[in-house]
């Protein structure tokens, strides 16, 4: 299996990306990596840092798409970027999956326009897997589609269920509709219409409306939202978690007494940190396109990239794409 | 000034409500309270608990609107409830403001239908004041209107600004549009249209789009959203804060060593708790109706009710209603 990795995407590229690829190759002996980006720089860094490039091929891409670039630049002035080159290779069958920690917008644009949608899929969706009390849940869509129609939310439910079952091993994933109350009649027009459709949809374990107050507590495996709402949830979640963790950290480091107090329970405090750590899950699959495309967190470290490769390997070998295509076709949505 | 308080709204009614009223009367010598609810029960409790009922009049209302009641029941089978009786008295001018910790839905329905809208206001909005690093900010709307048109969001911006300035003393309140990116072109159709209007709106200190990732950090005084999005933000905020606080609490109490560790910094830890405490701000004004209506948190204790009365007193004496009417009229929106 060949996994293409954007060597110049993310805050810590290219060093942490190269390291992550080397970690993954060592861990999984059935994969090969194609690393896109400035060949000279990559080889220099690998050599300086003593990173083995065994089973890692470098494909030269001189350019980089920056966070400040408009996503559509990927198709115009940045065709030679590490991201665009990788996506084109994927579309041409010169790899089985693609991972990038670069600009989300550019990645979504490129995946949709270069790799293209699965037949019948109205809109691909970005679907991060996030921590909760149960361990993890998927939030789909999380920003790819700001305006959605009810039938798109139904497709998100299908795609999310297939991924959670096949890649993360969740039996019969519980699908909830992100809403402002649990009763059937709650929410705006979009939610009411989506509820009606989801309630009657086969092959979905729909558990009804799900209040975002409860997301951290668990009880849902696939949380369905339009991209605007999903992104609001994600960012509020991250913002509040960062702020509160910062407040506690401030107390723990305030003075010598507090430092000593915190030191005795350091292991337990680190466990909280670990449970809230997005690096554990590595990022977000972009579901609905013809090949596995995976967005790693912008601040990815080597371990994040290695985890992303692990998940993407599972994404490929469990044939999630084929199963999504089948599921969409069966539910008569590809007409 | 006469403030009407629903004696039987909320999880801790009537005892904590009665106590809160007594606290407020003692604190502010320019107010009188009208407490609605079962007269016999209220007097019994006051007598048993030794609560002075000086300047607290009880108006008998035999019924209670329950959380499980559909909001519209307030206008049908629950006309004799403590909430409906209070709102009717307010509409009739037998009081200057009304506070309830009962069902939000019923309160919004009743306020809109009994107290009625200010001329020109398209939709009243529920606007909780929440904690952040600056101290506090208002989130408007937070659930009264699930589906909104762009011009409603502009009115929310006006109403929120008037309240924050006059009741909470914020000079030139910064108005942000809750969105999934900071650039002008970000968001769904509603956000893009609202941005255009807000940008050109006089009497508003519009600072642009505001990402919910940053709400806890501060930087905004009035965060404008449709009721669906606002409610999602509020509940995600509360859910994540509760979950994380619970995790830390679990560590602090895990064993005797951790208990000792936490004990040395107890004061600092309590400061975090206090800063996140909704009881500090007492709840949410319902803006856009002809009289001050204030929704106290469902789990209100005596101190929450006392704070709600303090804010409502300010709400009345600063003539926020008159200023909102003026502002809406000036911006030509009451045609």
């Amino acid at each position: 299996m060949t996994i293409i990795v954007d060597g110049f995407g993310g805050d810590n590229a290219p060093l942490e990306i190269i390291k992550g690829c080397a970690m993954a190759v060592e861990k999984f002996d059935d994969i090969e990596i194609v690393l896109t980006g400035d060949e000279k720089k990559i080889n220099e860094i690998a050599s300086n840092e003593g990173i083995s490039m065994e089973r890692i091929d470098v494909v030269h891409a001189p350019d980089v798409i920056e966070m400040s670039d408009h996503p559509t630049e990927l198709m115009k002035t940045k065709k030679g970027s590490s991201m665009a080159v990788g996506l084109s290779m994927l579309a041409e069958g010169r790899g089985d999956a693609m991972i990038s920690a670069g600009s989300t917008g550019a990645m979504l644009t490129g995946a949709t326009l270069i790799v293209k949608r699965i037949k019948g899929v109205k809109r691909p969706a970005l679907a991060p897997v996030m921590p909760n009390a149960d361990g993890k849940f998927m939030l789909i869509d999380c920003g790819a589609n700001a305006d959605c129609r009810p039938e798109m939310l139904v497709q998100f439910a299908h795609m999310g269920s297939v991924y959670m079952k096949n890649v993360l091993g969740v039996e019969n994933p519980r699908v909830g509709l992100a809403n402002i109350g649990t009763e059937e009649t709650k929410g705006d027009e979009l939610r009411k219409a989506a509820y009606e459709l989801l309630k009657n949809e086969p092959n979905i374990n729909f558990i009804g409306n799900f209040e975002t107050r409860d997301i951290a507590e668990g009880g849902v495996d696939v949380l369905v939202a339009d991209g605007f709402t999903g992104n609001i949830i994600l960012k509020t979640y991250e913002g509040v978690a960062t702020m509160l963790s910062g407040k506690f950290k401030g107390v723990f480091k305030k003075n010598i007494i507090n430092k000593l107090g915190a030191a005795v329970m350091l292991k337990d405090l680190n466990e909280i940190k670990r449970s809230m750590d997005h690096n554990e899950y590595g990022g977000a699959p972009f579901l609905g396109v013809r090949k596995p495309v995976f967005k790693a967190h912008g601040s990815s470290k080597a371990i994040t990239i290695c985890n992303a490769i692990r998940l993407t390997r599972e994404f490929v070998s469990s044939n999630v794409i084929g199963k999504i295509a089948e599921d969409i076709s069966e539910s008569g949505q590809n007409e």
Side-chain angles (χ1 to χ4, degrees), chain A:
Chain A
M1 182 189 310
T2 302
I3 295 172
I4 304 165
V5 179
D6 175 357
F8 281 74
D11 309 336
N12 306 310
L15 176 60
E16 293 289 323
I17 313 289
I18 305 172
K19 276 190 187 170
C21 290
M23 277 171 75
V25 162
E26 203 183 313
K27 217 168 189 164
F28 306 109
D29 53 18
D30 57 353
I31 61 166
E32 292 184 355
I33 304 280
V34 168
L35 198 56
T36 60
D38 187 312
E39 194 168 10
K40 199 169 150 244
K41 276 193 196 158
I42 291 176
N43 287 331
E44 246 175 50
I45 289 171
S47 155
N48 288 346
E49 301 278 333
I51 304 168
S52 156
M53 294 295 276
E54 204 183 327
R55 295 189 355 250
I56 302 177
D57 273 347
V58 179
V59 168
H60 185 59
D63 223 342
V64 175
I65 184 137
E66 309 284 352
M67 297 305 284
S68 55
D69 287 328
H70 194 274
T72 54
E73 291 305 319
L74 192 78
M75 312 299 293
K76 298 175 192 164
T77 59
K78 295 290 175 84
K79 280 187 178 172
S81 64
S82 54
M83 188 190 282
V85 167
L87 287 169
S88 297
M89 288 183 67
L90 181 65
E92 290 159 11
R94 295 163 61 199
D96 299 298
M98 158 92 183
I99 297 170
S100 176
S103 153
T104 306
M107 185 78 172
L108 302 187
T109 305
T112 308
L113 297 179
I114 301 172
V115 183
K116 298 206 167 68
R117 286 173 297 161
I118 294 171
K119 186 168 181 258
V121 167
K122 294 171 203 304
R123 298 278 189 88
L126 187 67
V129 176
M130 295 164 66
N132 69 1
D134 291 345
K136 60 191 175 300
F137 72 102
M138 168 174 276
L139 181 58
I140 181 168
D141 178 30
C142 200
N145 314 283
D147 288 286
C148 285
R149 295 189 307 276
E151 56 272 28
M152 292 176 191
L153 271 55
V154 175
Q155 288 199 339
F156 299 165
H158 278 282
M159 299 194 296
S161 296
V162 171
Y163 186 90
M164 289 305 276
K165 189 175 169 184
N166 292 284
V167 177
L168 293 172
V170 179
E171 269 310 307
N172 203 18
R174 296 160 294 179
V175 173
L177 178 64
N179 206 337
I180 59 175
T182 51
E183 303 90 331
E184 184 165 346
T185 54
K186 285 284 176 171
D188 56 2
E189 295 306 321
L190 175 61
R191 253 43 66 165
K192 287 178 197 162
Y195 191 103
E196 268 314 298
L197 295 178
L198 284 166
K199 196 175 70 172
N200 299 310
E201 187 67 13
N203 301 330
I204 291 286
N205 177 16
F206 183 53
I207 59 165
N209 288 322
F210 197 88
E211 279 201 280
T212 53
R213 175 181 286 148
D214 302 321
I215 52 170
E217 294 299 321
V220 71
D221 301 304
V222 178
L223 189 61
V224 173
D226 63 279
F228 179 83
T229 303
N231 202 278
I232 289 277
I233 294 171
L234 176 76
K235 287 181 177 157
T236 308
Y237 194 115
E238 289 184 354
V240 176
T242 305
M243 178 271 298
L244 249 184
S245 304
K247 280 189 188 232
F248 279 105
K249 213 169 162 183
V251 167
F252 300 152
K253 298 192 163 179
K254 194 181 164 190
N255 52 41
I256 185 78
I257 301 282
N258 287 14
K259 275 181 191 164
L260 288 170
V264 304
M265 45 187 164
L266 192 64
K267 207 178 132 227
D268 294 322
L269 292 173
N270 281 337
E271 178 53 31
I272 294 181
K273 198 177 162 192
R274 202 200 56 75
S275 76
M276 296 299 293
D277 188 0
H278 57 76
N279 288 321
E280 283 291 308
Y281 298 108
F286 186 51
L287 298 177
V289 288
R290 288 176 191 220
K291 294 280 176 72
V293 170
F294 196 92
K295 172 69 181 71
H297 204 284
S299 60
S300 287
K301 300 276 189 149
I303 181 70
T304 331
I305 295 298
C306 180
N307 274 327
I309 293 171
R310 174 176 58 82
L311 288 167
T312 306
R313 178 174 162 271
E314 209 60 49
F315 194 167
V316 174
S317 63
S318 62
N319 186 27
V320 163
I321 304 278
K323 283 171 185 152
I324 287 176
E326 214 172 277
D327 211 25
I328 297 288
S329 162
E330 266 179 22
S331 45
Q333 296 188 345
N334 60 344
E335 283 137 29

